[in-house]
Amino acid sequence: MMIIPAVDILDHNVVQLVGGVPGTEKIILRDPVEVAGSWIDKGAKALHIIDLDGAFGKSNNVTIIKEIIKKYDVPVEVGGGIRDESVISELLSAGADKVIVGTRAIKERDWLIDMASKFPDRLLLAMDTKGNEITVKGWQECSSVSVDGMFRIIKDIPLAGVLNTNVDVEGRAEGIDELQAREFISKCPHPVISSGGITTYEDTKKLCAAGAAGAVVGVSIYTGLLRPWDWNIPWIVSI
């Protein structure tokens, strides 16, 4: 299982929010391109970039994201308020490995099917969960479709995978919800990248054992609680 550092961009800064709530920034760093490079220098094999401005309906950071993709030769998955085919195409053409779609994909099944058929195996579906519900619009609203219902919808759609962020534990650096993670991964019909609460090496081992394909880490690496660069095989976890 690969550990993937998060580079969340808000107001042109790298931030880490508690539960995705604006104003709860635990980390504020001024240069997203430099921050991304710092993780590559420490041995990261991929990057997870989220445009929080785009997710919150503000102006996007596509220019900054494209600069990061161009500068660093690692796979980059990009998300945050991506609701248009033109933006998906622009990011993939710029070199993004995968594009994350969330709110519109959850709300409009036909659009998701259409985009996945046009960009097969290049889209990650963000199924961000709070309790037993899927949240959308930057975790500000709950969707009318259930988690199990969404699994049924996407079963035969050619997605690259599903990104599951557990909003209840996101940004708190207090550990994962192992039961939630195991249940989600076991039921999901596509590979799962897990996010939310990953704080210790033991957390990463639990996710690996549960079958996660990847784990996105934020606060824990920015504060030094989790230090993949000190491992024997940097940024990779095995059972």
Side-chain angles (χ1 to χ4, degrees), residues 101-161:
V101 292
T103 297
R104 188 175 181 185
I106 296 292
K107 288 188 168 187
E108 299 180 28
R109 181 189 315 183
D110 290 343
W111 182 80
L112 174 60
I113 293 171
D114 185 35
M115 292 302 100
S117 67
K118 290 178 177 177
F119 307 102
D121 303 317
R122 301 299 298 277
L123 300 183
L124 289 170
L125 175 65
M127 288 181 62
D128 304 332
T129 51
K130 190 171 186 178
N132 294 316
E133 297 182 299
I134 300 173
T135 64
V136 294
K137 290 191 175 180
W139 305 341
Q140 297 175 88
E141 296 180 9
C142 289
S143 168
S144 59
V145 64
S146 68
V147 172
D148 287 341
M150 201 67 211
F151 286 159
R152 289 190 291 271
I153 290 169
I154 65 174
K155 182 179 178 181
D156 297 317
I157 297 176
L159 297 171

Side-chain angles (χ1 to χ4, degrees), residues 45-225:
K45 309 299 183 187
L47 293 171
H48 174 88
I49 302 178
I50 297 297
D51 184 352
L52 292 175
D53 290 301
F56 294 140
K58 300 163 66 175
S59 59
N60 64 48
N61 293 283
V62 169
T63 300
I64 294 173
I65 293 168
K66 288 168 74 173
E67 185 178 351
I68 293 172
I69 293 170
K70 183 177 179 180
K71 189 166 185 177
Y72 304 113
D73 187 24
V74 298
V76 176
E77 56 192 41
V78 182
I82 297 173
R83 301 179 178 94
D84 298 308
E85 179 181 345
S86 61
V87 178
I88 296 172
S89 180
E90 180 181 10
L91 289 168
L92 290 174
S93 296
D97 183 58
K98 297 179 180 67
V99 171
I100 303 162
V101 292
T103 297
R104 188 175 181 185
I106 296 292
K107 288 188 168 187
E108 299 180 28
R109 181 189 315 183
D110 290 343
W111 182 80
L112 174 60
I113 293 171
D114 185 35
M115 292 302 100
S117 67
K118 290 178 177 177
F119 307 102
D121 303 317
R122 301 299 298 277
L123 300 183
L124 289 170
L125 175 65
M127 288 181 62
D128 304 332
T129 51
K130 190 171 186 178
N132 294 316
E133 297 182 299
I134 300 173
T135 64
V136 294
K137 290 191 175 180
W139 305 341
Q140 297 175 88
E141 296 180 9
C142 289
S143 168
S144 59
V145 64
S146 68
V147 172
D148 287 341
M150 201 67 211
F151 286 159
R152 289 190 291 271
I153 290 169
I154 65 174
K155 182 179 178 181
D156 297 317
I157 297 176
L159 297 171
V162 170
L163 171 69
N164 174 226
T165 298
N166 184 339
V167 180
D168 289 321
V169 295
E170 168 67 21
R172 302 180 189 278
E174 295 176 355
I176 65 169
D177 181 338
E178 185 179 0
L179 280 178
Q180 183 275 338
R182 283 187 174 278
E183 181 176 6
F184 190 100
I185 293 166
S186 66
K187 290 183 176 181
C188 184
H190 296 282
V192 174
I193 297 175
S194 294
S195 179
I198 302 163
T199 307
T200 65
Y201 182 66
E202 186 61 28
D203 285 333
T204 68
K205 296 286 281 187
K206 289 175 181 177
L207 289 174
C208 183
V216 174
V217 292
V219 169
S220 59
I221 58 167
Y222 282 94
T223 58
L225 289 170

